[in-house]
């Protein structure tokens, strides 16, 4: 078992920050203190995570020399609350408590909490600093790193938001012990994604260890989180605002967002939709002749072994897919762009795909439904 | 009369941009085309400015090679609509029209339109580019330059927002011909501010030309706008996110914001409140022994000659002032900071003021009411 602490850095100059990864991090004030001491602090969490880890965080903050008792904001749990209305509620609480521009927000929870709290930090008094304490696998390996914050709009996921980098990310791997199996699987989708888009060696390692990860074996789990964060940190450092390579992180996301929006946010977990979306991207890539059959089969097999579905829900028809994908942020000047695979460990963002390959991929799934 | 065009640059590296100043700018597509050609464009304006200058802008855009008819969003006029709800309306319109991340927003109007439209641009799909076409003196000399965007909250002005620089600022000085006298005077407050905080020579020039400016004489007006924009551009280039010197631009604003909030947004124009706030700051600076009596008298005289009130409304009591000022963004870690004057052309941001001087300044005004 990994007992030590690992720290990575996201190299973004004056906006750079550390990622601390390891068991028991919530009990180590020295990880949070540099970002918080002498400041007023608001904690944003939800009704599921707050009762589980709120006390540990409170004890930690009590040793961080913050300037008064933390303001505690507990949101209802679920993606359906990831709205501008929830952000407005947080902003009102911050103002009622008169938190000033030097105050800090700590986001304790999964990706939804982190996205909402980060966006509130981004637009409170034109931006205050925040710290991510992610408690789900998905948030630990993906959403807590890189500064994407925001909320959903009825017409599209994450359509309202800002780039706002955290000052630190503190990952306590012990929090995964209380994570529901379904959310663990959803997180594994994003772990597999790093293998698919840029790290064939990691993908092969995952083929060996996927069952160990599902069983929460500490050492493989810590390794997978560390390697995923390292991938993410490198990509973000190279392309903070997604002008180029960072877009590859959206493998499976255009299909996935359509599934999430089509089913209503919250019906499918984000990672579940991404897992299915990656399977669809792999099959479309095979239809284009870009990914060989063996590669597509390996991708599908690992996604399935992670507990994720290969087929989208029948309720989202091909026409609905096309409609929802047309509004995706990766549409550039009216032309849909997709992340597709050239091989295991090699992804490309392209608008030069065959419409037939897309249509056939969508219709293949509609037939299954 | 000045007939030529003047261009300044805000030097912010990759976020730098030009400011084009002159008469007839709305008729010159070459000013807008570099920022817009090949893009989809949404115009945000209001029900007052749209009917006056919408057609001129439409003709201009028709010659800018934009990729389809502009989406036209006309907001109700007035500071009371500078809310998150209005921003949400704009975001919905952009999404309904399926504007993508490469699209642009053009803000046509005064400071309220520019602040709202700029903030919508800042958070639409994590940020799209926008262009400012300010049509009030206040927006031309102040709010359109520097990237401050945002909206009000019932608990404080501009408490929700982001730093988001425009790609260009296009100032057609002819638009001031339709500006109500009251709004012209409000804009002069910000012009006088540059003289007070950093440019004693400009202040002396304003003492010579204030009546010419109120009479809209083209040459002095263009000079005052140019010199104000140059001041603003230099300060923003030196301190984009208000870590230091930029805060001096808030002379009169802490008092002013309290007046605006205390009266209800829209009752007093922003510039009117700032004018009175500057007079209060000058008197407080004199009480501190920082500004001599002659300096205070010159400040008051120019503010008054610009048509602005020296006294705040009686409805805002000293207690209400203190309450509203405590929530101001310039409060650092619980301590109120104010911009005060050391002389004409020399301002300082400080929390080292005497509470008595503040209290006396507030009570002096309450007695007047």
């Amino acid at each position: 078992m990994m007992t030590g602490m690992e720290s990575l850095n996201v190299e973004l100059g004056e906006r750079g920050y550390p990622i601390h990864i390891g068991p028991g991090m919530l009990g180590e004030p020295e990880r949070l203190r540099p970002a918080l001491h002498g400041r007023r602090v608001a904690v944003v969490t939800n009704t599921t995570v707050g009762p589980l880890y709120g006390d540990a965080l409170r004890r930690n903050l009590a040793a961080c020399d913050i300037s008064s008792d933390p303001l505690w904001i507990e949101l209802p749990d679920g993606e359906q609350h990831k709205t501008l209305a929830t952000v407005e509620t947080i902003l009102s609480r911050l103002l009622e408590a008169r938190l000033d521009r030097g105050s800090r927000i700590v986001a304790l929870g999964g990706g939804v909490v982190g996205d909402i709290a980060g966006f509130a930090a981004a637009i409170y008094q034109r931006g205050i600093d925040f710290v991510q304490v992610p408690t789900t696998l998905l948030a630990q390996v993906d959403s807590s790193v890189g500064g994407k914050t925001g909320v959903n709009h009825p017409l599209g996921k994450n359509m309202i938001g800002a780039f706002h980098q955290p000052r630190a990310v503190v990952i306590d791997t012990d929090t995964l012990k209380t994570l529901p199996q379904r959310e663990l699987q959803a997180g594994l989708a994003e772990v597999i994604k790093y293998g698919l888009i840029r790290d064939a060696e990691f993908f092969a390692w995952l083929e060996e260890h996927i069952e160990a990860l599902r069983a929460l074996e500490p050492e493989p789990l810590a390794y997978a989180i560390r390697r995923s964060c390292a991938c993410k940190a490198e990509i973000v450092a190279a392309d903070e605002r997604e002008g180029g390579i960072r877009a590859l992180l959206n493998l499976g996301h255009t299909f996935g967002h359509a599934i999430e929006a089509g089913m209503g946010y919250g019906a499918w977990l984000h990672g579940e939709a991404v897992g299915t979306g990656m399977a669809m991207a792999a099959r479309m890539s095979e239809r284009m002749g870009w990914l060989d059959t063996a590669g597509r089969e390996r991708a599908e097999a690992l996604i399935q072994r992670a507990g994720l579905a290969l087929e989208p829900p029948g309720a989202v028809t091909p026409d609905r897919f096309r409609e929802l994908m047309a509004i995706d942020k990766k549409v550039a000047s009216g032309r849909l762009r997709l992340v597709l695979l050239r091989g295991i460990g090699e992804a490309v963002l392209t608008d030069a795909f065959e419409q037939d390959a897309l249509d056939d991929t969508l219709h293949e799934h509609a037939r299954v439904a």
Side-chain angles (χ1 to χ4, degrees), chain A:
Chain A
M1 176 175 165
M2 170 183 162
T3 51
M5 186 271 295
E6 295 273 337
S7 292
L8 305 166
N9 280 295
V10 182
E11 305 291 353
L12 282 172
E14 63 181 16
R15 288 187 305 287
Y17 50 93
I19 308 171
H20 303 294
I21 306 165
M25 280 287 148
L26 265 173
E28 298 185 13
E30 55 270 37
R31 308 295 161 217
L32 286 171
R33 191 186 293 122
L36 304 181
H37 72 94
R39 305 291 180 160
R40 295 193 62 193
V41 171
V43 174
V44 177
T45 185
N46 69 25
T47 50
T48 302
V49 177
L52 288 169
Y53 299 108
D55 284 348
L57 180 58
R58 278 184 203 272
R59 282 191 299 272
N60 189 320
L61 293 177
C64 278
D65 307 312
I66 65 175
S67 71
S68 59
D69 283 345
L71 173 68
W72 206 263
I73 302 174
E74 210 165 270
L75 309 176
D77 190 7
E79 176 102 18
Q80 67 273 29
H81 302 289
K82 189 174 150 179
T83 62
L84 203 51
T86 301
V87 172
E88 194 163 15
T89 301
I90 295 171
L91 299 173
S92 294
R93 291 285 305 279
L94 301 178
L95 282 168
E96 282 156 14
R98 303 202 172 179
L99 263 68
D100 61 28
R101 290 165 100 164
S103 303
R104 305 280 191 253
I105 289 176
V106 175
L108 173 71
V112 170
V113 165
D115 284 4
I116 296 171
F119 185 51
I123 66 172
Y124 185 65
Q125 303 201 7
R126 297 198 193 94
I128 64 172
D129 284 329
F130 77 115
V131 174
Q132 292 273 19
V133 184
T135 60
T136 66
L137 181 59
L138 186 135
Q140 292 177 353
V141 300
D142 181 33
S143 60
S144 70
V145 175
K148 281 193 180 181
T149 73
V151 295
N152 301 324
H153 183 282
L155 292 175
K157 192 174 159 65
N158 294 323
M159 285 289 149
I160 305 173
F163 285 97
H164 189 56
Q165 299 292 342
R167 275 183 81 91
V169 181
V170 177
I171 298 173
D172 186 339
T173 53
D174 286 343
T175 60
L176 300 181
K177 292 175 183 169
T178 54
L179 192 68
Q181 181 68 21
R182 197 178 150 195
E183 295 213 34
L184 186 77
Q185 293 162 191
L188 288 173
E190 302 280 3
V191 174
I192 292 169
K193 184 185 75 180
Y194 294 111
L196 282 173
I197 63 172
R198 70 191 306 265
D199 194 340
E201 187 184 272
F202 185 38
F203 188 89
W205 182 92
L206 287 169
E207 290 179 314
E208 298 294 316
H209 295 87
I210 191 74
E211 280 77 21
L213 295 175
R214 294 187 67 179
L216 288 176
E217 288 182 24
E219 199 172 344
L221 200 55
Y223 176 79
I225 293 169
R226 209 160 63 237
R227 188 139 178 175
S228 296
C229 284
C231 279
K232 181 81 185 258
E234 275 178 35
I235 289 172
V236 168
D239 177 20
E240 184 180 5
R241 294 178 76 91
E242 199 167 308
I245 186 182
R246 184 163 178 174
L248 301 183
L249 291 171
N250 292 315
L251 175 69
H253 282 60
T254 305
F255 293 108
H257 286 167
I259 293 171
E260 289 183 86
M263 296 299 287
Y265 297 121
W268 279 47
L269 296 175
H270 173 66
E272 291 176 323
V274 166
T276 303
M278 292 193 301
M280 294 175 78
R283 281 179 287 204
M284 183 169 161
S285 302
E286 185 192 14
R287 281 179 188 278
M288 303 268 298
W290 288 7
L291 180 67
D292 62 22
T293 301
R296 187 263 301 160
E297 287 175 348
R298 285 180 70 195
E300 286 193 331
L302 187 58
I303 290 165
Q304 195 158 39
R305 286 169 63 202
L308 299 159
L310 298 180
E311 304 299 334
V316 188
T317 62
D319 279 350
R320 188 83 176 111
F321 257 110
R322 272 184 288 264
E323 183 182 38
L324 290 164
M325 290 168 78
I327 207 167
D328 189 90
K329 287 191 298 301
K330 285 165 290 302
V331 173
S333 298
R335 178 101 184 107
L336 180 65
R337 291 187 296 172
L338 290 171
V339 182
L340 296 175
L341 294 172
R342 289 258 181 210
I344 299 294
E346 188 188 351
V348 285
L349 174 70
T350 181
D351 65 358
F353 57 81
E354 297 151 18
Q355 187 65 40
D356 283 356
L358 174 58
D359 289 339
D360 290 349
T361 301
L362 296 177
H363 281 281
E364 168 196 12
H365 291 290
R367 280 199 306 278
V368 169

